[in-house]
Amino acid sequence: MSDSDVDRGRSGAGAIATESPSRAEFLGAALLATVAIALLGGPAVLVAEVVVGGPFDTSVAVAIATVGGLGGSYALGPVIVDRAIDSRSAAVDPGAGGGSASADGAASTGDPTVDSLVERVADVADAARIDPPAVRVVDRRAMNVGVVATRTGTTLVVPTRLADLDDPAFDALVTHALLRGSSRRARLATALLAPALVVEVVALLGAELLSRRTGYGDADHGDRSERPRMLGAGDRGDRSVPWVVYALAGGLLLVAVAPLWIPFALGDRLLIGRGRSRTDAATARVGASGIHGTGSIDAASIADALRDAHDARGYRDWPPSLDRLSVVPMGDPVTRRVRGTSRQELRVRIARLRSKRSR
């Protein structure tokens, strides 16, 4: 391959990395933004009225709700993610300062697994001609990659199990995350994460209460007896309370959250689901350009990596708050019932990658 061919491949990769979300994704972001305004904007207006000492005009109240809702969501998203990562960071040498490092390899964490993962991510970023991000390694069995993009930069969340992957699968998952982080998709998802989590947890709690029945959760139900991981593990509580009370409470919760759940579910599917699918195709184009290390990335290898990551054991180890920021959705069956992300999303993505149109 000539130097001019390589230069064209590099510039193509740079264009792919900064590719903007589609109109459908922006519509999804707008729908999730309305959820943020509804959840956080109301309290912001009340606080402002207390401070000022009187009610506002409708236009002023709407402006305060918009600024307060979007600003609060933008500020809370990175905080939620940081707490989720910190609680699951891989154990390293006490003097190393935690399971995180810059992908430029300038500092060692003192743990061979963490250092190896950081170096491999840096190699993939260099091959794709994308600025190397910070890397946070979490001690999880899940085979996934999360990408958190904020105003201050991009951070990849990598589980320790990823060290066991071969180069094609590792390259595919990391390149996918790098491209999503370099575009606006991960930034939008991070900024709108807090209200999405609130609606999801309330809907899950309502569904959990509504589904309580005598004898549900016995051993013969296997994994289905476990509570949704968003609500924590354990049994189903006090059996002395009639199931009708639980069902009524769950039904009321679902009715109350429905006006927010509808735009949340649609927005989640448009922004998150379609964003992942478009990044699948972008990752294949980067691999096809011939600039990537071993040249191992193609549509088929990406499809195989996505399938293997989803089928691997350990999804309950993956932080639920990172699912929307992840390359592969890892939600358990109960969680997916109230999520906007379709249960068929991954099948559709893999089918598109394996079709001739993706090659």
Side-chain angles (χ1 to χ4, degrees):
M1 180 181 295
S2 66
D3 293 340
S4 60
D5 291 336
V6 173
D7 290 338
R8 282 195 296 270
R10 290 176 182 177
S11 61
I16 291 171
T18 56
E19 186 181 63
S20 296
S22 65
R23 292 181 180 179
E25 292 170 75
F26 275 121
L27 174 59
L31 290 171
L32 290 175
T34 61
V35 176
I37 294 171
L39 281 177
L40 304 177
V45 173
L46 292 177
V47 170
E49 288 180 349
V50 170
V51 172
V52 174
F56 296 101
D57 293 336
T58 302
S59 58
V60 177
V62 170
I64 294 175
T66 302
V67 173
L70 297 180
S73 179
Y74 180 84
L76 287 173
V79 174
I80 293 172
V81 171
D82 283 340
R83 289 178 63 88
I85 298 173
D86 289 341
S87 64
R88 298 167 173 86
S89 291
V92 297
D93 182 75
S100 64
S102 172
D104 57 13
S108 173
T109 63
D111 183 275
T113 301
V114 174
D115 290 340
S116 173
L117 286 171
V118 171
E119 290 176 2
R120 291 179 70 182
V121 169
D123 290 341
V124 175
D126 181 66
R129 299 302 184 266
I130 298 175
D131 292 336
V135 178
R136 301 289 300 276
V137 179
V138 293
D139 190 10
R140 300 290 96 180
R141 296 195 306 270
M143 193 183 296
N144 207 348
V145 182
V147 52
V148 184
T150 62
R151 183 176 53 84
T152 57
T154 302
T155 300
L156 293 193
V157 184
V158 181
T160 50
R161 184 172 180 178
L162 223 64
D164 299 331
L165 287 183
D166 56 9
D167 288 338
F170 185 92
D171 292 353
L173 293 177
V174 171
T175 301
H176 191 290
L178 288 171
L179 290 178
R180 196 165 180 235
S182 298
S183 69
R184 300 176 187 176
R185 293 182 179 88
R187 191 172 301 125
L188 286 172
T190 305
L192 298 171
L193 180 64
L197 287 176
V198 171
V199 174
E200 181 181 357
V201 170
V202 173
L204 275 172
L205 182 58
E208 167 79 357
L209 293 173
L210 190 63
S211 65
R212 285 175 181 256
R213 296 290 188 274
T214 302
Y216 184 99
D218 293 341
D220 59 342
H221 285 80
D223 290 341
R224 294 185 180 275
S225 66
E226 298 184 22
R227 300 181 69 199
R229 61 202 180 108
M230 293 287 290
L231 302 178
D235 60 27
R236 303 177 68 86
D238 186 3
R239 303 289 180 175
S240 63
V241 179
W243 69 266
V244 176
V245 176
Y246 286 124
L248 181 60
L252 291 176
L253 268 181
L254 292 178
V255 170
V257 80
L260 294 177
W261 183 85
I262 293 173
F264 150 74
L266 183 58
D268 193 66
R269 183 165 298 188
L270 291 175
L271 176 62
I272 308 302
R274 291 203 178 189
R276 285 181 177 131
S277 182
R278 290 193 72 205
T279 309
D280 292 341
T283 306
R285 292 202 300 274
V286 168
S289 66
I291 66 167
H292 196 281
T294 61
S296 59
I297 291 185
D298 57 21
S301 65
I302 299 169
D304 291 339
L306 295 177
R307 184 201 62 216
D308 293 343
H310 183 268
D311 293 343
R313 298 294 298 175
Y315 68 84
R316 285 186 175 271
D317 272 350
W318 190 244
S321 53
L322 294 184
D323 276 348
R324 288 177 179 81
L325 307 176
S326 302
V327 175
V328 181
M330 301 289 285
D332 55 71
V334 180
T335 304
R336 287 197 297 265
R337 289 177 192 148
V338 301
R339 247 188 196 164
T341 303
S342 169
R343 286 180 288 180
Q344 286 74 39
E345 175 200 316
L346 190 62
R347 295 179 184 176
V348 173
R349 291 169 62 191
I350 292 176
R352 287 175 176 172
L353 284 167
R354 289 177 173 168
S355 69
K356 294 182 179 180
R357 290 176 296 177
S358 300
R359 299 173 185 267

mmCIF file of all heavy atoms in Angstrom, residues 204-226:
data_model
loop_
_atom_site.group_PDB
_atom_site.id
_atom_site.type_symbol
_atom_site.label_atom_id
_atom_site.label_comp_id
_atom_site.label_asym_id
_atom_site.label_seq_id
_atom_site.Cartn_x
_atom_site.Cartn_y
_atom_site.Cartn_z
ATOM 1 N N LEU A 204 -39.284 -0.201 36.206
ATOM 2 C CA LEU A 204 -38.906 -1.532 36.666
ATOM 3 C C LEU A 204 -39.538 -1.856 38.010
ATOM 4 O O LEU A 204 -39.998 -2.982 38.243
ATOM 5 C CB LEU A 204 -37.377 -1.630 36.779
ATOM 6 C CG LEU A 204 -36.616 -1.982 35.510
ATOM 7 C CD1 LEU A 204 -35.126 -1.838 35.745
ATOM 8 C CD2 LEU A 204 -36.949 -3.387 35.057
ATOM 9 N N LEU A 205 -39.560 -0.884 38.902
ATOM 10 C CA LEU A 205 -40.172 -1.116 40.206
ATOM 11 C C LEU A 205 -41.664 -1.403 40.060
ATOM 12 O O LEU A 205 -42.199 -2.314 40.704
ATOM 13 C CB LEU A 205 -39.951 0.107 41.107
ATOM 14 C CG LEU A 205 -40.493 0.011 42.524
ATOM 15 C CD1 LEU A 205 -39.887 -1.170 43.266
ATOM 16 C CD2 LEU A 205 -40.224 1.309 43.295
ATOM 17 N N GLY A 206 -42.334 -0.636 39.186
ATOM 18 C CA GLY A 206 -43.750 -0.898 38.942
ATOM 19 C C GLY A 206 -43.980 -2.278 38.356
ATOM 20 O O GLY A 206 -44.893 -3.003 38.774
ATOM 21 N N ALA A 207 -43.151 -2.663 37.374
ATOM 22 C CA ALA A 207 -43.281 -3.994 36.774
ATOM 23 C C ALA A 207 -42.977 -5.089 37.787
ATOM 24 O O ALA A 207 -43.618 -6.142 37.796
ATOM 25 C CB ALA A 207 -42.350 -4.110 35.572
ATOM 26 N N GLU A 208 -42.000 -4.836 38.652
ATOM 27 C CA GLU A 208 -41.645 -5.829 39.677
ATOM 28 C C GLU A 208 -42.800 -6.031 40.660
ATOM 29 O O GLU A 208 -43.153 -7.164 40.996
ATOM 30 C CB GLU A 208 -40.393 -5.344 40.418
ATOM 31 C CG GLU A 208 -40.063 -6.085 41.696
ATOM 32 C CD GLU A 208 -39.395 -7.418 41.446
ATOM 33 O OE1 GLU A 208 -39.231 -7.791 40.264
ATOM 34 O OE2 GLU A 208 -39.041 -8.097 42.425
ATOM 35 N N LEU A 209 -43.412 -4.947 41.100
ATOM 36 C CA LEU A 209 -44.535 -5.054 42.028
ATOM 37 C C LEU A 209 -45.741 -5.706 41.359
ATOM 38 O O LEU A 209 -46.435 -6.535 41.960
ATOM 39 C CB LEU A 209 -44.912 -3.671 42.555
ATOM 40 C CG LEU A 209 -43.881 -2.978 43.460
ATOM 41 C CD1 LEU A 209 -44.314 -1.553 43.761
ATOM 42 C CD2 LEU A 209 -43.687 -3.759 44.753
ATOM 43 N N LEU A 210 -45.984 -5.334 40.109
ATOM 44 C CA LEU A 210 -47.157 -5.859 39.403
ATOM 45 C C LEU A 210 -47.038 -7.358 39.149
ATOM 46 O O LEU A 210 -48.049 -8.066 39.075
ATOM 47 C CB LEU A 210 -47.323 -5.117 38.077
ATOM 48 C CG LEU A 210 -48.615 -5.362 37.303
ATOM 49 C CD1 LEU A 210 -49.822 -4.895 38.098
ATOM 50 C CD2 LEU A 210 -48.565 -4.644 35.956
ATOM 51 N N SER A 211 -45.803 -7.869 39.034
ATOM 52 C CA SER A 211 -45.614 -9.276 38.683
ATOM 53 C C SER A 211 -45.555 -10.196 39.889
ATOM 54 O O SER A 211 -45.374 -11.398 39.738
ATOM 55 C CB SER A 211 -44.313 -9.428 37.881
ATOM 56 O OG SER A 211 -43.198 -9.092 38.683
ATOM 57 N N ARG A 212 -45.700 -9.665 41.091
ATOM 58 C CA ARG A 212 -45.609 -10.511 42.287
ATOM 59 C C ARG A 212 -46.809 -11.451 42.351
ATOM 60 O O ARG A 212 -47.958 -11.038 42.244
ATOM 61 C CB ARG A 212 -45.561 -9.658 43.553
ATOM 62 C CG ARG A 212 -44.205 -8.997 43.756
ATOM 63 C CD ARG A 212 -44.234 -8.061 44.942
ATOM 64 N NE ARG A 212 -42.934 -7.423 45.087
ATOM 65 C CZ ARG A 212 -42.034 -7.750 45.989
ATOM 66 N NH1 ARG A 212 -42.285 -8.726 46.838
ATOM 67 N NH2 ARG A 212 -40.881 -7.135 46.059
ATOM 68 N N ARG A 213 -46.495 -12.719 42.526
ATOM 69 C CA ARG A 213 -47.531 -13.736 42.659
ATOM 70 C C ARG A 213 -47.100 -14.722 43.738
ATOM 71 O O ARG A 213 -45.909 -14.866 44.034
ATOM 72 C CB ARG A 213 -47.733 -14.518 41.345
ATOM 73 C CG ARG A 213 -48.243 -13.662 40.203
ATOM 74 C CD ARG A 213 -49.683 -13.225 40.420
ATOM 75 N NE ARG A 213 -50.198 -12.569 39.238
ATOM 76 C CZ ARG A 213 -50.043 -11.269 38.984
ATOM 77 N NH1 ARG A 213 -49.336 -10.527 39.812
ATOM 78 N NH2 ARG A 213 -50.561 -10.745 37.906
ATOM 79 N N THR A 214 -48.062 -15.440 44.305
ATOM 80 C CA THR A 214 -47.742 -16.458 45.304
ATOM 81 C C THR A 214 -46.877 -17.534 44.678
ATOM 82 O O THR A 214 -47.227 -18.103 43.637
ATOM 83 C CB THR A 214 -49.024 -17.097 45.854
ATOM 84 O OG1 THR A 214 -49.829 -16.064 46.415
ATOM 85 C CG2 THR A 214 -48.700 -18.124 46.918
ATOM 86 N N GLY A 215 -45.729 -17.802 45.309
ATOM 87 C CA GLY A 215 -44.841 -18.839 44.827
ATOM 88 C C GLY A 215 -43.877 -18.390 43.771
ATOM 89 O O GLY A 215 -42.988 -19.137 43.393
ATOM 90 N N TYR A 216 -44.033 -17.153 43.229
ATOM 91 C CA TYR A 216 -43.097 -16.668 42.221
ATOM 92 C C TYR A 216 -41.738 -16.500 42.856
ATOM 93 O O TYR A 216 -41.605 -16.048 43.967
ATOM 94 C CB TYR A 216 -43.579 -15.333 41.664
ATOM 95 C CG TYR A 216 -42.736 -14.791 40.534
ATOM 96 C CD1 TYR A 216 -43.129 -14.963 39.211
ATOM 97 C CD2 TYR A 216 -41.556 -14.101 40.793
ATOM 98 C CE1 TYR A 216 -42.367 -14.461 38.184
ATOM 99 C CE2 TYR A 216 -40.787 -13.601 39.765
ATOM 100 C CZ TYR A 216 -41.202 -13.772 38.467
ATOM 101 O OH TYR A 216 -40.445 -13.280 37.442
ATOM 102 N N GLY A 217 -40.725 -16.887 42.153
ATOM 103 C CA GLY A 217 -39.380 -16.741 42.684
ATOM 104 C C GLY A 217 -38.868 -18.007 43.332
ATOM 105 O O GLY A 217 -37.813 -18.018 43.927
ATOM 106 N N ASP A 218 -39.631 -19.098 43.256
ATOM 107 C CA ASP A 218 -39.140 -20.346 43.796
ATOM 108 C C ASP A 218 -37.971 -20.858 42.969
ATOM 109 O O ASP A 218 -37.692 -20.392 41.877
ATOM 110 C CB ASP A 218 -40.270 -21.396 43.802
ATOM 111 C CG ASP A 218 -41.366 -21.004 44.787
ATOM 112 O OD1 ASP A 218 -41.070 -20.165 45.670
ATOM 113 O OD2 ASP A 218 -42.497 -21.521 44.644
ATOM 114 N N ALA A 219 -37.324 -21.890 43.500
ATOM 115 C CA ALA A 219 -36.113 -22.387 42.868
ATOM 116 C C ALA A 219 -36.368 -22.907 41.465
ATOM 117 O O ALA A 219 -35.507 -22.846 40.601
ATOM 118 C CB ALA A 219 -35.487 -23.477 43.733
ATOM 119 N N ASP A 220 -37.586 -23.421 41.214
ATOM 120 C CA ASP A 220 -37.840 -24.023 39.906
ATOM 121 C C ASP A 220 -37.935 -22.985 38.805
ATOM 122 O O ASP A 220 -38.005 -23.333 37.634
ATOM 123 C CB ASP A 220 -39.124 -24.857 39.935
ATOM 124 C CG ASP A 220 -40.333 -24.030 40.313
ATOM 125 O OD1 ASP A 220 -40.163 -22.920 40.869
ATOM 126 O OD2 ASP A 220 -41.449 -24.499 40.062
ATOM 127 N N HIS A 221 -37.956 -21.698 39.171
ATOM 128 C CA HIS A 221 -37.992 -20.661 38.160
ATOM 129 C C HIS A 221 -36.598 -20.248 37.711
ATOM 130 O O HIS A 221 -36.468 -19.440 36.810
ATOM 131 C CB HIS A 221 -38.752 -19.427 38.671
ATOM 132 C CG HIS A 221 -40.229 -19.638 38.705
ATOM 133 N ND1 HIS A 221 -40.847 -20.324 39.712
ATOM 134 C CD2 HIS A 221 -41.215 -19.246 37.847
ATOM 135 C CE1 HIS A 221 -42.159 -20.341 39.491
ATOM 136 N NE2 HIS A 221 -42.399 -19.707 38.371
ATOM 137 N N GLY A 222 -35.574 -20.773 38.357
ATOM 138 C CA GLY A 222 -34.198 -20.518 37.928
ATOM 139 C C GLY A 222 -33.841 -19.049 37.957
ATOM 140 O O GLY A 222 -34.145 -18.328 38.890
ATOM 141 N N ASP A 223 -33.193 -18.594 36.864
ATOM 142 C CA ASP A 223 -32.718 -17.220 36.786
ATOM 143 C C ASP A 223 -33.865 -16.219 36.823
ATOM 144 O O ASP A 223 -33.694 -15.081 37.229
ATOM 145 C CB ASP A 223 -31.913 -17.009 35.498
ATOM 146 C CG ASP A 223 -30.586 -17.737 35.548
ATOM 147 O OD1 ASP A 223 -30.157 -18.078 36.673
ATOM 148 O OD2 ASP A 223 -29.983 -17.971 34.483
ATOM 149 N N ARG A 224 -35.032 -16.622 36.372
ATOM 150 C CA ARG A 224 -36.138 -15.679 36.348
ATOM 151 C C ARG A 224 -36.603 -15.292 37.749
ATOM 152 O O ARG A 224 -37.386 -14.377 37.921
ATOM 153 C CB ARG A 224 -37.319 -16.268 35.559
ATOM 154 C CG ARG A 224 -37.005 -16.442 34.080
ATOM 155 C CD ARG A 224 -38.228 -16.900 33.322
ATOM 156 N NE ARG A 224 -37.938 -17.077 31.916
ATOM 157 C CZ ARG A 224 -37.965 -16.108 31.012
ATOM 158 N NH1 ARG A 224 -38.243 -14.878 31.384
ATOM 159 N NH2 ARG A 224 -37.697 -16.361 29.745
ATOM 160 N N SER A 225 -36.158 -16.027 38.778
ATOM 161 C CA SER A 225 -36.532 -15.675 40.139
ATOM 162 C C SER A 225 -35.722 -14.506 40.663
ATOM 163 O O SER A 225 -36.052 -13.947 41.685
ATOM 164 C CB SER A 225 -36.320 -16.884 41.063
ATOM 165 O OG SER A 225 -34.945 -17.205 41.156
ATOM 166 N N GLU A 226 -34.656 -14.139 39.951
ATOM 167 C CA GLU A 226 -33.839 -13.025 40.392
ATOM 168 C C GLU A 226 -34.526 -11.711 40.062
ATOM 169 O O GLU A 226 -35.158 -11.552 39.032
ATOM 170 C CB GLU A 226 -32.468 -13.068 39.709
ATOM 171 C CG GLU A 226 -31.676 -14.306 40.048
ATOM 172 C CD GLU A 226 -30.298 -14.263 39.424
ATOM 173 O OE1 GLU A 226 -29.832 -13.160 39.104
ATOM 174 O OE2 GLU A 226 -29.703 -15.331 39.263
#
